[in-house]
Amino acid sequence: QGLYYGISEHKNRIYVACRNNPEGHADASAHTHAAGSLLVFDATSLVLIDELRPAEFPLRDVHGMACIDGKLFVTCSHDNLIAIYDPAAQQWTKWYPAVDPSDRDRDIHHFNTIAVEGGRIRVLAHNNGPSQLFLYDKNSLQLCSVLALGVQAHDIFAHAQGLAICSSGDGVLLDDFGWVLRIGGFPRGIAFDSDSILVGVSSVASRPTRRDMSGVVRRFLPDWKHVADYVLNGVGMVLAIHRLAEVTATMS
């Protein structure tokens, strides 16, 4: 059903964003007519148990997702908005991170990643070029600061004393203190465990051919020493990586 982009976990449930747009790889304008959804899986068995979508508005061009104070925040790049789902109330609301009202309901910033740390929500603006990291107050959702960081950037993670991102457009990881690690290709998707760091690497390719490419998951030790590459033949792009605490499902 098109790309699956955005993974989050809450109360023994795994939520995966689905674009429901199989032809969207060939024509970006197809996002206009798409209506994405959230697939809900049991976190241990990975059995699909539900599918969620708002009745009030469509989820178009879904990207990253985060669980913040029990609510799911889903970036919807086509409309420059973040859809918020409250599982307890079973209600959807909209949040427009851009300060300028004229930036609403059109793909201006291409918001693709959201994360939370302490009292701040971080939202990454890909911008189809030089990117920006927006920081908001978690309670008021008011903008606190904007930091220029990376090119066609994805993902947000802590590094040393600062914040880091995948600067996908120039094939590197970098932080706001000057650390740079060249990965090559189009890095996107990152996850950490006690003994490993996994980074997704996709080939740089035209949109119509991306679905047939082979992705790579690159493994590093915690000191960023490269130790292995795992090739995912013919699966298309690597979009996101999420660490699961325990899985009993039989994978095929």
Side-chain angles (χ1 to χ4, degrees), residues 28 41 54 81 122 135 191 198 218:
F41 298 86
L81 70 82
R122 303 160 180 170
L135 269 67
L198 300 182
R218 184 157 293 166

Side-chain angles (χ1 to χ4, degrees), residues 57 59 64 66 68 71-77 79-85 92-100 103-105 111 113-116 119-124 134-145:
F57 58 92
L59 303 177
I68 303 174
K71 298 179 181 179
L72 295 168
F73 286 60
V74 187
T75 58
C76 301
S77 299
D79 294 297
N80 229 41
L81 70 82
I82 292 174
I84 303 174
Y85 178 67
W92 291 87
T93 55
K94 290 181 179 181
W95 171 35
Y96 289 98
V99 175
D100 188 344
D103 290 342
R104 297 179 178 181
D105 299 315
F111 294 121
T113 306
I114 184 166
V116 64
R120 293 288 184 265
I121 293 176
R122 303 160 180 170
V123 181
L124 194 56
F134 287 59
L135 269 67
Y136 300 84
D137 179 83
K138 188 178 72 169
N139 297 317
S140 67
L141 298 183
Q142 294 298 306
L143 181 64
C144 301
S145 63

Side-chain angles (χ1 to χ4, degrees), residues 19-238:
R19 291 190 182 170
N20 292 309
N21 183 15
E23 301 306 319
H25 69 279
D27 183 1
S29 66
H31 295 311
T32 302
H33 307 290
S37 59
L38 299 187
L39 306 181
V40 186
F41 298 86
D42 179 90
T44 302
S45 67
L46 298 186
V47 172
L48 178 66
I49 56 177
D50 203 356
E51 183 172 9
L52 308 171
R53 68 180 79 211
E56 302 85 355
F57 58 92
L59 303 177
R60 300 193 290 191
D61 200 16
V62 289
H63 278 72
M65 180 175 14
C67 184
I68 303 174
D69 291 342
K71 298 179 181 179
L72 295 168
F73 286 60
V74 187
T75 58
C76 301
S77 299
H78 185 78
D79 294 297
N80 229 41
L81 70 82
I82 292 174
I84 303 174
Y85 178 67
D86 184 343
Q90 298 184 9
Q91 292 180 341
W92 291 87
T93 55
K94 290 181 179 181
W95 171 35
Y96 289 98
V99 175
D100 188 344
S102 67
D103 290 342
R104 297 179 178 181
D105 299 315
R106 56 197 188 107
D107 191 350
I108 299 297
H109 295 93
H110 203 72
F111 294 121
N112 64 26
T113 306
I114 184 166
V116 64
E117 178 69 27
R120 293 288 184 265
I121 293 176
R122 303 160 180 170
V123 181
L124 194 56
H126 174 287
N127 288 331
N128 294 300
S131 303
Q132 298 168 300
L133 184 60
F134 287 59
L135 269 67
Y136 300 84
D137 179 83
K138 188 178 72 169
N139 297 317
S140 67
L141 298 183
Q142 294 298 306
L143 181 64
C144 301
S145 63
V146 180
L147 172 68
L149 194 63
V151 178
Q152 296 180 7
H154 298 82
D155 301 288
I156 304 168
F157 58 98
H159 180 264
Q161 301 302 312
L163 296 175
I165 52 92
C166 297
S167 186
S168 308
D170 46 18
V172 303
L173 310 185
L174 57 84
D175 72 9
D176 54 349
F177 282 87
W179 171 78
V180 178
L181 178 66
R182 178 155 295 280
I183 298 291
F186 197 85
R188 173 175 46 191
I190 188 166
F192 296 81
D193 204 347
S194 59
D195 62 352
S196 298
I197 303 169
L198 300 182
V199 179
V201 183
S202 300
S203 299
V204 178
S206 61
R207 189 175 295 274
T209 63
R210 292 175 186 172
R211 67 186 299 172
D212 300 317
M213 306 298 289
S214 294
V216 171
V217 174
R218 184 157 293 166
R219 180 181 173 226
F220 298 86
L221 298 181
D223 62 358
W224 291 101
K225 179 183 178 181
H226 175 221
V227 291
D229 279 357
Y230 306 100
V231 179
L232 309 177
N233 287 313
V235 303
M237 299 171 290
V238 179

